[in-house]
Amino acid sequence: MAEANLRANSELRQQQQEQQRQLEAERRHSEALRDATADLRTSVMELREGQALWQNQVDELRTCLRELLREQSELVRIIAQQQHILKDCKEVIRAILEQMRDDHRDFRSAIGILLEELHQTVRCLVLKSGGTLPKPVRHPEAPEVDPGSQPTDSASLGDGSLS
């Protein structure tokens, strides 16, 4: 019986030791779970902070995009106005150039008429004073005239006479 008690005591000690090992293992496992839970809480907090920061940046980007869209719309409107103004300016310039061309033609025509009248008056004065006319010299810008159609006497000189 003493041997049975010893064996029973020995088995009890082994069971107690096994239970203590299991308790120690469970305690370590519990501490590891506690540490992992704390790490998870920290990670969740960091993720929430990161998400909040990311959300702020997304909100700022949306605001910037809205602002850019408004500015783009304004620029498109301004460009359209400028193109309309440019078109109007081109039309005005074209009209001015046409008017200048017409005025230049009228001016050249008037100068040509005045020069012809002056020439006729000088011819008349030279012929009335008994002089002779030099061979006619054509100005480079004057229109070409048929030499047979040139008047030679004072009767054909027109209003340039002094009589």
Side-chain angles (χ1 to χ4, degrees):
M1 196 143 214
E3 201 173 294
N5 277 342
L6 279 174
R7 222 183 287 148
N9 280 343
S10 176
E11 281 180 22
L12 276 175
R13 263 189 250 125
Q14 284 178 353
Q15 285 177 356
Q16 283 178 342
Q17 288 174 350
E18 182 61 32
Q19 285 177 349
Q20 281 184 343
R21 272 183 262 162
Q22 285 178 354
L23 281 174
E24 185 61 29
E26 285 180 13
R27 187 188 60 77
R28 283 193 305 262
H29 182 69
S30 178
E31 284 178 5
L33 282 175
R34 218 178 5 251
D35 291 346
T37 303
D39 289 346
L40 278 174
R41 283 186 183 133
T42 302
S43 296
V44 166
M45 288 177 58
E46 289 173 354
L47 282 173
R48 285 182 181 156
E49 289 172 1
Q51 182 182 12
L53 179 64
W54 178 81
Q55 189 62 46
N56 285 340
Q57 290 175 343
V58 167
D59 291 344
E60 286 178 22
L61 283 174
R62 284 185 181 145
T63 302
C64 288
L65 284 174
R66 281 189 210 106
E67 213 172 291
L68 284 173
L69 285 173
R70 278 194 297 271
E71 288 177 10
Q72 179 195 20
S73 296
E74 182 67 16
L75 286 174
V76 166
R77 187 185 65 73
I78 289 170
I79 289 170
Q81 283 179 338
Q82 295 297 326
Q83 287 175 337
H84 183 70
I85 291 170
L86 182 61
K87 180 183 170 198
D88 290 348
C89 287
K90 284 180 181 178
E91 290 176 12
V92 167
I93 289 170
R94 183 185 48 75
I96 289 172
L97 289 174
E98 286 177 10
Q99 184 64 45
M100 286 174 65
R101 186 183 68 230
D102 293 345
D103 290 349
H104 182 69
R105 221 179 289 136
D106 292 346
F107 179 72
R108 286 182 63 132
S109 176
I111 292 291
I113 291 169
L114 287 174
L115 286 174
E116 184 59 34
E117 286 182 11
L118 179 63
H119 179 69
Q120 294 296 331
T121 303
V122 168
R123 285 174 55 107
C124 182
L125 288 173
V126 168
L127 290 175
K128 279 191 176 184
S129 67
T132 59
L133 295 174
K135 184 177 178 183
V137 176
R138 186 178 68 81
H139 188 277
E141 291 185 20
E144 295 213 16
V145 179
D146 183 10
S149 69
Q150 294 251 345
T152 54
D153 63 328
S154 62
S156 64
L157 293 179
D159 288 335
S161 65
L162 294 174
S163 51

